[in-house]
Amino acid sequence: MLARLRALTVTSALCATSLLAAPHAFAEVEPGGWQSVSPGFSVQERGCGQVDGLTFRLTCSTASGDQRAERRYATYTGGTRQFEGYFRITSLSGTRISLKQTFHESGSGPYFMLAVERGGRLYAVHGGTTLSNAGTVGATVRVNTVHQVGAEHRTYINGSLKHSYASPGGSFYDKFGAYRTNSGSGPATVEWSGIRFWRK
């Protein structure tokens, strides 16, 4: 009887753990019909940019030149793609640092850029729209982008839709890390985690 009770306790604990883990396993926004994918990536370090796993640093305060520490993922064309990641800014003495890009490879280049200003304002570089003030040092922020190629690009912050942008056709790719915008400067350190991709 004691052994049976112990077995039931272990089974209950495992079930509880599975239930707790399940929401993250299906964390994509706009659920329905998504297929998990694992695109390849390359690491980009330029200027004073440094990449160590999922930690991205700009170590200088230079306000010119190409200062970047990023992952660049494989190109996609057509369909609908979703990116999800969590970032935490551990230090930011600079400002206006791009965190996540959707890059129009066959077109005009950086099509959508999510950046942060010192103080925590998250904004779209093209147009300057404020998406959130959640990007403060030490806070963990969830970012999802849903891209319907040829139709629309949508950005979610902590699960809430914050930005929509018309999308041309062509080829695109995702990038994230820490990248000095034209009006920005470091230093900055950003830690990313929970990176996932889907398509449908």
Side-chain angles (χ1 to χ4, degrees), residues 37-42 71-77 81 103 105 171-175 197:
V37 293
S38 300
F41 67 87
S42 59
R71 276 191 183 186
R72 185 261 204 230
Y73 280 79
T75 300
Y76 60 87
T77 56
R81 306 290 175 137
F103 197 92
E105 185 177 39
S171 57
F172 295 82
Y173 57 80
D174 290 298
K175 300 174 78 174
F197 296 88

Side-chain angles (χ1 to χ4, degrees), residues 7-58:
L8 285 171
T9 302
V10 169
T11 302
S12 299
L14 289 171
C15 289
T17 302
S18 298
L19 288 171
L20 288 172
H24 188 70
F26 300 96
E28 72 269 16
V29 295
E30 302 183 15
W34 293 105
Q35 176 186 351
S36 179
V37 293
S38 300
F41 67 87
S42 59
V43 172
Q44 298 183 335
E45 296 177 315
R46 296 186 189 166
C48 65
Q50 297 178 359
V51 179
D52 180 11
L54 286 171
T55 299
F56 303 83
R57 294 183 180 89
L58 300 180

